Amino acid sequence: ELFGILAMCLGTLVTGLGDLDFDVAGYAIALVAAGCQSLYLVLARRAQDEVKDLSHVDLLYYTAFYNCLIFFPLSVVEYPEIQKFLANDGEILRLLIFMVPYVLLGTLLNYATFWCTAANSPLATAVAGSAKGILSTIVGMVQFGAHLTMVGWLGLLGNTGGGLLYSLAHTRQRLRKSKEKNA
């Protein structure tokens, strides 16, 4: 498992080095976001371990509630700007066209993330997230014209290989524990 995780980390680093659109500030923000997501998953799992009968759906509800406590005051501060923006012709319809799929996909993402964390571990959820990174890279290249050098492609391959190694090692470990338990 450890070798798979190290390969993923190294692959991610190499992919970044092979990014022709490399931006230090952008990568720094991405690292902060990744760290926050990791902490978020660990805390979610800890809450499920410590609070009896707390399901992933309950966790989703409480997370949404706490996010409202944080983002509602921020929205109030922005209200005059939002009002000015929505006063333009067609902006309300455009807002709905973009907001409805955005909210639905965000809800689905949070639901799947909490479900995965409840069924596995935060680490397994993060490893599965490497598949999201690969998909994001491909979509970024096709949709937005991002470019990778050969080094970037090798890093992406290393990241993918690390995820597969971790998954295989974790599956083997679970099977071994299952056999020991049944024996």
Side-chain angles (χ1 to χ4, degrees), residues 21-124:
D21 301 318
F22 183 82
D23 176 28
V24 173
Y27 272 85
I29 292 168
L31 284 173
V32 169
C36 289
Q37 183 182 20
S38 298
L39 183 59
Y40 185 64
L41 293 175
V42 168
L43 291 174
R45 183 55 189 245
R46 183 173 176 206
Q48 287 180 316
D49 289 345
E50 291 184 7
V51 178
K52 187 177 176 167
D53 297 328
L54 182 69
S55 73
H56 61 281
V57 177
D58 297 331
L59 196 56
L60 185 65
Y61 171 79
Y62 287 117
T63 301
F65 177 72
Y66 294 136
N67 281 334
C68 286
L69 293 176
I70 294 169
F71 289 109
F72 182 73
L74 295 173
S75 299
V76 169
V77 172
E78 291 291 323
Y79 184 71
E81 289 296 319
I82 294 169
Q83 225 176 4
K84 190 185 322 179
F85 174 77
L86 292 177
N88 295 327
D89 288 338
E91 291 301 335
I92 292 176
L93 178 62
R94 229 170 72 160
L95 174 70
L96 291 174
I97 290 171
F98 285 106
M99 192 170 72
V100 169
Y102 180 78
V103 168
L104 289 175
L105 287 172
T107 302
L108 182 61
L109 172 65
N110 278 328
Y111 180 82
T113 300
F114 287 134
W115 187 16
C116 183
T117 303
N120 299 294
S121 69
L123 182 58

